[in-house]
Amino acid sequence: MPFIPHTESDIQLMLQEIGVESINSLFDEIPSALMINDMPEIPMGLNEMAMMQLMQSRAKQTMELQCFIGAGAYEHHIPAAVWDLTQRGEFLTAYTPYQAEASQGSLQLMWEYQTMMASLMGMEISNASLYDGASALAEAVLMGIRSKSKEVKPCVWIASNIHPFYRQVLHTILKPHAIPVKEIAYDPTHGVVTLEALETQWQQEKSLTVLVMGQPNFFGRLENVDTITDWAHEKDAVVVGVVNPIAMSWLKPPGQWGKSGADIACGEGQPLGVPLAGGGPYFGFLCSRMSLVRQMPGRLVGLTQDQNNQPGFTLTLQAREQHIRRSKATSNICTNQGLLVTAATIYMSLLGPQGLKQIAQQCYLNHQVLVQQLLAIDVKPCFVGEHFHESVWQLPADVNKVLETLCEQGIAGGFNVSPYYPSLENALLICATETKSSEDIEHFVKMLNAAIQRSHI
Amino acid sequence: MDNIPQTLKYTQTHEWVARESNDVWTVGITDHAQKLLGDVVFIELPAVGDKVIINKEFGVVESVKAASDLYAPISGEIVAINESLVDHPELINQDAYQQGWIIKIKPQAPEQWEQLLEAQAYSQKIS
């Protein structure tokens, strides 16, 4: 039996039945300019053996690399128990938990996740996750805008030292809403947002609804979150913090920024027990203060009591979702990253607050070791000040060439930031998490230096 | 059987209107509407001082089944909102015409009263 359900004669029979000549005439409504006939980028099908051989040969190219990349996705040690438990059939095959009475296990897990995330962020509530960090940011911004009176013409400010991909996603999602997004310049010496930059922008715009800043920011630098939060709140703006969840076990969480805390915290959940896996799937987290709960997109699990006063878990506040609110839904988010949230929940419960804090400290210390060694070779730090676990360095050579050489040595040497920040020429973002030993770092710096010397010639 | 008080007027969109005085009209949703919606879980209210326009949305009522817009039966200014609905949206189910009132409007064009449905016409509409 073929895997394709309709044979050519099935198709003819169906077309005849509905009185249509060809499949294409079913798509008459689509303007021909939008139709794509040839897709040369997509190769022809392979048989199973050839496909396995190709995939294995490709896997070999990436598996052995020592990773120093960072830039939004971080290599961390994941205890074996995390994915052993996550892959149990009960978790792996669980269907979406709309039927609460049949899904208590999944629902309880999401509730535990929400509780841990909210506590990690110093916030009152968390949803059950979104697709990834960038979509979580866009949703956070829309949430902030909805919380303001409809009379207010929204204007969003985002620090230009937020991940360039996140900013792209934000622009993409906000553009159809015709909401202006202004980028705040970072200080070229320190790589952070300053009050002066905010004031300058304020003089130009005189309008601010939502302010987005990172902690740590894309350059790994720590922002002066208290001052910025208070400044934005004075302007009656909603403050959104894009944060690294591992760092938040050690640094001040968004809920405690400034006098009254940021309003929304979001970011990429991947560092919490999700492997790098070539770029995904990852998950986004979104936490906020309780007053914004009705603006929060996605799922929320609540703890309740049944008729016999027994505790029970259920999806709650569903009125915000499409099946109830339909065209008035808060967003088009209609699910969560269940399996990755399962892994993150198990990861966080295995480590506990103390374990997470130790990892954050180890990341910080390893990065310090990295910095000390890099200072001894022919590279310059782009920014002065405290970093969490990654930093940007200017190389006296072409970054891509250096990265290629390092790759041949089995090292993924960092992220070339120059295409995204033209003023940062030949700049490489390098990260060291807790997974790197002093020997790894020493070896990396030696290889980096050699690669630079080679590129000079 | 739906409860349709004779003393009130109605909209095509299932709001009821009571004329407290020339300056204050009270608005809620009908018994029929609350039955269709099922358990009301939240209501999005306007603010006192907001302007409303006849037949335009002024709020949203959310039940376990649907979220529905509320439409102003008249143009004017909001002079009061039923704040007890914030914590007790179920009042709409329990007592749609008294404790479940939603807003009070100061009408801009009181003659719009004439365009509203009488109890009998509304009753016919929903039967």
Side-chain angles (χ1 to χ4, degrees), chain A residues 150 294 319 324-326 328, chain B residues 42 44 62 64 66-67 69:
Chain A
K150 291 189 183 77
R294 285 188 182 273
I324 291 197
R325 228 172 147 84
R326 307 202 175 103
K328 301 177 82 61
Chain B
F42 182 65
E44 208 176 289
E62 286 181 6
V64 292
D69 284 328

Side-chain angles (χ1 to χ4, degrees), chain A residues 136-152:
Chain A
L137 165 62
E139 291 295 340
V141 168
L142 288 172
M143 202 177 147
I145 291 169
R146 284 193 299 270
S147 74
K148 292 287 173 193
S149 158
K150 291 189 183 77
E151 320 265 296
V152 178

Side-chain angles (χ1 to χ4, degrees), chain A residues 178-247:
Chain A
I179 297 166
V181 180
K182 311 285 175 182
E183 303 215 341
I184 312 161
Y186 61 83
D187 176 286
T189 311
H190 301 92
V192 295
V193 170
T194 60
L195 269 189
E196 291 72 39
L198 292 170
E199 283 295 346
T200 309
Q201 184 127 343
W202 179 255
Q203 293 311 320
Q204 290 164 9
E205 309 289 341
K206 293 282 180 204
S207 167
L208 169 61
T209 326
V210 179
L211 181 132
V212 184
M213 65 173 148
Q215 184 75 330
N217 65 35
F218 183 63
F219 305 137
R221 282 280 288 122
L222 300 184
E223 298 274 0
N224 196 347
V225 288
D226 295 327
T227 318
I228 301 173
T229 302
D230 287 343
W231 182 89
H233 279 158
E234 272 169 35
K235 308 287 186 230
D236 201 27
V238 172
V239 176
V240 174
V242 182
V243 298
N244 177 316
I246 295 276

